Amino acid sequence: MIMLLPVLTMLAALGSGIMAGLFFAFSSFIMTAFSKLPPEQGIAAMNSINVTILNATFGMAFFGTALLCIVLGIASIVFWSQPGSGWLLIGSLLYLIGVIAITVVFNVPLNDALQAISPASPEGTALWTRYFAEWVPWNHVRTFASTGSLIAFILAYGKLNAV
């Protein structure tokens, strides 16, 4: 198992980086662009993304990285005396808590509420305002967490390969 750690760490860094890029795009310009649209158009665009994103490629990056983080988190504890173990644990926890847990607890329920509302209704307009106020800050957290995870895995990889 210990010989697989560098490969698994590089794959976790790659997955964290892909997710960091996705979240960064939403935080940097996608949500700003949606905010300039009339609410019914913004809701329709976001709902379209939320449906389309559920595909094998996204699932592999999002959940595959989470699976790697579980394996690497356990390995970091089992091989705690090995160089880079602390960075493996930090990277794993940042991803599992800052990306997976935040997504499940905050972003997905907001996405579900948006999907269930009539975009052209007054309730839709009110939800869209609330959606922005809540969804975007949590996406910023996911952006920073996945970027931190990427950095931690790169540092772990360097330590693992220095041995």
Side-chain angles (χ1 to χ4, degrees), residues 1-151:
M1 171 65 182
I2 200 161
M3 292 188 309
L4 284 177
L5 284 180
V7 173
L8 297 178
T9 302
M10 183 56 68
L11 290 172
L14 177 62
S16 295
I18 289 169
M19 296 315 301
L22 174 71
F23 298 139
F24 176 80
F26 272 90
S27 285
S28 296
F29 57 87
I30 294 172
M31 295 308 285
T32 302
F34 287 172
S35 73
K36 297 177 188 285
L37 298 172
E40 60 273 1
Q41 291 177 9
I43 292 170
M46 193 67 190
N47 282 340
S48 179
I49 286 174
N50 289 335
V51 168
T52 333
I53 203 166
L54 300 177
N55 61 57
T57 307
F58 173 78
M60 195 118 110
F62 187 76
F63 295 112
T65 303
L67 181 60
L68 285 169
C69 287
I70 291 168
V71 170
L72 289 172
I74 292 168
S76 74
I77 294 165
V78 171
F79 301 112
W80 187 251
S81 62
Q82 295 297 314
S85 291
W87 289 117
L88 286 178
L89 185 59
I90 290 168
S92 297
L93 291 174
L94 278 170
Y95 191 86
L96 293 171
I97 295 167
V99 174
I100 299 297
I102 294 294
T103 299
V104 170
V105 172
F106 297 105
N107 295 89
V108 169
L110 288 165
N111 291 345
D112 291 344
L114 198 64
Q115 188 71 42
I117 198 92
S118 172
S121 70
E123 295 82 15
T125 301
L127 177 61
W128 187 236
T129 302
R130 191 186 106 219
Y131 185 87
F132 263 88
E134 295 178 21
W135 194 95
V136 172
W138 286 116
N139 191 68
H140 294 337
V141 171
R142 298 187 303 175
T143 302
F144 286 115
S146 54
T147 301
S149 182
L150 167 63
I151 292 166

